[in-house]
Amino acid sequence: MVHAHMTAWFLALVLFFVALGLHKSGKEKGFKVLKMILRVLYILIIATGVGLLLSLSNISMMYILKAAVGVWVIAMLEMILGRTAKRESTKVQWIQFIIAILLVLYLGFSLPLGTYLFKG
C-alpha cells in the first residue's frame, strides 16, 4: 500500500508541473484534461492514505498530522491550478505548498511506517 501511495503522489506532482507547463504554453484543453486526471489522483492518494492509516494498530497524533498536511498539499495543488487558470496571483499558495510538501515529506519518511520502504 505504501508503494501505491507514493506512486500516486509522484505521478500527481509530475502531472501538476506538466499542467502548469501546458497552461503557460497556451494549451488550455490539455490543461483542463490534466486537472481532471489530477482530481482522480487526489482521490487515489486520499484512499491509499486512509488505507495506510487503518492498517496501523496504533494511530498516533503524528500520523494524523501527516494526513492533515497531506490534505493541505492537495489543497495547495488545486488552488495553484485554479488561480493559475484565472490568471490570479499564486505567490501565497506556492509558499504554502513548499512548506507543506517539505513537512509532509519529513513526516512521511521519519514516521515508522515510512521505514517499510527500506526493509525490502
Side-chain angles (χ1 to χ4, degrees):
M1 182 80 74
V2 173
H3 291 97
H5 188 66
M6 288 186 64
T7 301
W9 265 112
F10 179 76
L11 190 57
L13 287 174
V14 169
L15 290 179
F16 169 74
F17 288 108
V18 170
L20 287 176
L22 285 174
H23 184 269
K24 189 173 184 174
S25 66
K27 297 183 170 127
E28 291 298 319
K29 186 170 182 163
F31 175 72
K32 287 182 180 183
V33 169
L34 277 183
K35 278 178 48 176
M36 290 298 137
I37 293 170
L38 277 166
R39 289 174 180 154
V40 172
L41 279 173
Y42 299 154
I43 294 169
L44 183 61
I45 291 166
I46 291 170
T48 57
V50 168
L52 286 169
L53 271 177
L54 295 178
S55 71
L56 296 171
S57 59
N58 182 18
I59 301 173
S60 71
M61 198 60 184
M62 293 304 286
Y63 285 110
I64 302 296
L65 177 64
K66 187 205 177 266
V69 174
V71 171
W72 181 23
V73 170
I74 290 172
M76 288 303 101
L77 293 175
E78 187 64 22
M79 288 180 72
I80 289 169
L81 290 176
R83 291 179 72 96
T84 298
K86 294 178 184 176
R87 304 200 188 286
E88 296 175 357
S89 174
T90 58
K91 185 177 180 180
V92 173
Q93 286 75 25
W94 275 107
I95 292 168
Q96 286 187 53
F97 170 72
I98 291 167
I99 293 168
I101 196 79
L102 290 174
L103 188 57
V104 83
L105 287 172
Y106 172 75
L107 289 171
F109 287 109
S110 65
L111 291 170
L113 189 59
T115 60
Y116 288 159
L117 295 172
F118 306 109
K119 289 183 181 176

